[in-house]
Amino acid sequence: MSDVRHVLVLPDRDAAEEVAQALGDRFGLAEEPQLVRDALAGEDDAEDAQWLVVLEDPEARLNGAELDAFVADWDGWWEAP
C-alpha cells in the first residue's frame, strides 16, 4: 500500500502546535506530526501565514472527514489531496 500524507491547515502557530499534540492523544499516532509555516502568496508578514500540520499515514488508517471535524475546533481544515 502506498504512503498517505494528510495535511491539516491551521490559522496560526499556536493552533498548529495544539493540534499536533492533541492528534497524538486522539488518534494514537506512531510519528510526531510535522509543522510547516505556509506563507500566503505575495505576503512577507508572519501574520499572513497559515500553518500546516503534516501527518504521515503509511497504513492509511486515518479518515479525512474525521480529521477535518477534529481540526474545526481550531478553525482549521483537512486539505483533500
Side-chain angles (χ1 to χ4, degrees):
M1 178 170 280
S2 63
D3 286 354
V4 174
R5 176 176 288 149
H6 297 283
V7 177
L8 307 176
V9 182
L10 284 302
D12 57 51
R13 183 181 186 139
D14 289 342
E17 289 175 346
E18 287 178 27
V19 165
Q21 184 174 19
L23 281 166
D25 297 339
R26 169 68 174 80
F27 295 100
L29 302 178
E31 287 186 36
E32 187 77 23
Q34 179 184 5
L35 298 181
V36 179
R37 182 181 177 272
D38 183 34
L40 300 177
E43 298 294 337
D44 294 326
D45 190 347
E47 295 298 315
D48 293 324
Q50 294 174 324
W51 283 79
L52 309 179
V53 177
V54 181
L55 305 166
E56 299 297 331
D57 186 15
E59 298 171 9
R61 65 182 188 85
L62 299 173
N63 177 291
E66 225 179 306
L67 291 170
D68 192 51
F70 181 76
V71 297
D73 288 343
W74 289 272
D75 296 324
W77 65 90
W78 171 73
E79 189 72 27

